[in-house]
Amino acid sequence: MIILDGKKTAQDLKEEIKISVASIRENNQRPPHLAAVIVGNDGASLTYVGSKVRSCEYVGFDSTLIQLEESTTEETLLEKIKELNQDANLDGYIVQLPLPKHIDEEKILLAIDPTKDVDGFHPSNFGRMALEMDAFIPATPFGIIELLERYKIETSGKHCVVVGRSHIVGRPISILMSQKGSAGNATVTVAHSRTENLANLTRNADIVVMALGIPEFLTADMVKEGAVIIDVGITRVSDDRHPKGYVIKGDVAFDEVSSKSSYITPVPGGVGPMTIAMLLKNTLLAYQRKL
Ligand code: NDP
C-alpha cells in the first residue's frame, strides 16, 4: 500500500510556483495577485482563508484579505465584487463559502468575472470544463487529478466510483475522470444518497472517490483488494482527549481500508493540502492567461 502524500505533493507544487513567481519578479513584473473575501466570523472559514493567504505569501503572490461584517448586505457584497472585477491589478479572487443566510450565494457566484474565478465555480468555467475547453477547474477535483498524475496511477479503462455529487467535488471529479486525457478515460459511476446497494458498486471499483462528509463511512468490506482510495471528506469529530477538543476524520475507515488498498490518501494530509496548492496554480494560470 502506498500513501498518496498530498502534503508533500502540495509542497512540491508550491515550490514550483515559487520559482515561477521569482522569475516574474526578476523581470520586474508585478507578481500574481489573489484576493479572498470572507463575510462573517465562522471559525472554520477563517482558518481556511487564513491558510490560503499564508500560502500566497509563501509562493510570493500578492494577496488581499477582505473581511466583511456578518451583517453585510447582498448589495454591498455585489458592489465589492464589481470593484474586484474591475481591478486590473488583481488576477483572481475567491468568495469563501458558506455566506450568511441573507445573501443569495448563486447571485454572488454569477457576479464573479469568470476570468478571475479561480475557484472555478462560475457556470461559464464549469461548462467550459465539461466541454474540455480551457477553464478554471475547481481546486479540490483539480488536486485529485494532480495527485493521480504525479503518482502515475492508471485510470484509463478503470472503473471509478465517486460517492457524492456536489457541484464542488463529486460532480466535477466524475466529469474529469471520464474525459479523454491524463487521469481520465475511466468508466465512472456517480453514487449519492439515493443510490441502492452502494457497497456492491464500491466493491467492484478499481478507484473509489469518497466525497460525502460522513466520517469513516467506507469500511474494508466495501472495497476490493488493490483498489485506489481517494478520501475527500473532512469532518470535525468531538474528542476530549485532543487539545483542540476535536479530531479531523475522513470518509474512509483508514486503518482497515488501507491494508486492502494499493494507494490511499490519508486525512489529514491527502486531498486537503492539494486544494490550496491548486488554488495557487489557478491564480498563476489566471495571471499567465492575461499576458
Ligand atoms: P455535500 O454535502 O455538498 O455533498 C455530499 C454528497 O454526498 C451528496 O451528493 C449526497 O447525496 C452524498 N451522500 C450523503 N449521504 C450519503 C450516503 N449515505 N450514501 C451515498 N451518498 C451520500 O458535500 P461536499 O461535496 O461539499 O463535501 C463532501 C466532503 O468533502 C465534506 O466532508 C467536506 O468537508 C469535504 N471537502 C473537502 C475538501 C478538501 O479540500 N479536502 C473540499 C471540499 C469538501 P445527495 O446529493 O443525494 O444529497
Side-chain angles (χ1 to χ4, degrees):
M1 178 270 297
I2 295 173
I3 299 275
L4 295 169
D5 188 343
K7 200 170 167 193
K8 180 189 175 296
T9 309
Q11 189 58 34
D12 292 347
L13 249 156
K14 283 187 198 169
E15 296 306 331
E16 290 161 21
I17 294 171
K18 204 172 174 179
I19 290 169
S20 301
V21 178
S23 91
I24 291 168
R25 285 185 184 265
E26 273 162 23
N27 289 327
N28 293 322
Q29 286 168 317
R30 75 158 179 87
H33 181 187
L34 175 75
V37 182
I38 181 161
V39 185
N41 297 307
D42 177 67
S45 295
L46 283 167
T47 308
Y48 289 140
V49 167
S51 69
K52 286 170 189 174
V53 170
R54 275 194 306 281
S55 295
C56 281
E57 285 162 6
Y58 181 79
V59 298
F61 286 0
D62 283 341
S63 65
T64 305
L65 177 61
I66 300 157
Q67 208 172 343
L68 303 172
E69 299 280 327
E70 176 84 24
S71 58
T72 301
T73 62
E74 190 177 279
E75 204 181 7
T76 307
L77 183 56
L78 284 168
E79 265 312 305
K80 182 45 84 182
I81 284 180
K82 203 166 156 192
E83 259 176 49
L84 297 173
N85 286 344
Q86 288 167 353
D87 184 347
N89 289 320
L90 183 68
D91 302 293
Y93 66 94
I94 58 157
V95 178
Q96 185 68 39
L97 302 178
L99 290 168
K101 289 202 169 36
H102 63 275
I103 298 178
D104 181 347
E105 277 186 7
E106 193 173 300
K107 218 173 188 176
I108 301 302
L109 193 63
L110 288 169
I112 297 174
D113 176 350
T115 67
K116 293 187 173 182
D117 168 41
V118 285
D119 256 341
F121 294 164
H122 191 284
S124 164
N125 276 311
F126 203 94
R128 291 178 66 90
M129 174 197 71
L131 294 170
E132 302 182 41
M133 297 162 77
D134 276 345
F136 293 116
I137 296 170
T140 303
F142 198 10
I144 296 172
I145 294 293
E146 189 78 21
L147 262 182
L148 293 170
E149 282 179 348
R150 292 204 179 211
Y151 278 85
K152 299 189 168 42
I153 293 174
E154 184 58 83
T155 54
S156 179
K158 303 295 177 196
H159 182 209
C160 173
V161 172
V162 176
V163 185
R165 56 178 166 181
S166 74
H167 296 169
I168 60 167
V169 190
R171 183 74 64 199
I173 192 64
S174 69
I175 293 172
L176 292 167
M177 291 192 68
S178 65
Q179 283 180 343
K180 289 179 182 162
S182 177
N185 287 318
T187 305
V188 179
T189 303
V190 184
H192 43 77
S193 67
R194 305 291 178 94
T195 297
E196 292 178 3
N197 301 321
L198 178 64
N200 279 347
L201 292 173
T202 53
R203 261 198 292 273
N204 283 303
D206 304 303
I207 304 168
V208 182
V209 179
M210 294 298 290
L212 71 160
I214 303 180
E216 302 187 328
F217 183 92
L218 190 82
T219 45
D221 59 314
M222 294 171 77
V223 299
K224 78 172 174 188
E225 204 67 51
V228 176
I229 311 291
I230 307 290
D231 189 355
V232 184
I234 298 178
T235 308
R236 285 185 181 189
V237 177
S238 303
D239 186 340
D240 293 339
R241 290 164 302 174
H242 200 274
K244 282 185 179 166
Y246 65 84
V247 286
I248 300 291
K249 293 268 182 204
D251 289 346
V252 177
F254 184 87
D255 291 342
E256 54 179 274
V257 173
S258 58
S259 55
K260 263 183 115 175
S261 63
S262 55
Y263 293 88
I264 187 165
T265 59
V267 175
V271 175
M274 291 301 292
T275 299
I276 294 188
M278 299 320 279
L279 175 67
L280 299 177
K281 184 158 181 177
N282 272 344
T283 306
L284 183 61
L285 285 173
Y287 177 89
Q288 289 165 339
R289 281 178 190 157
K290 267 189 175 171
L291 299 177

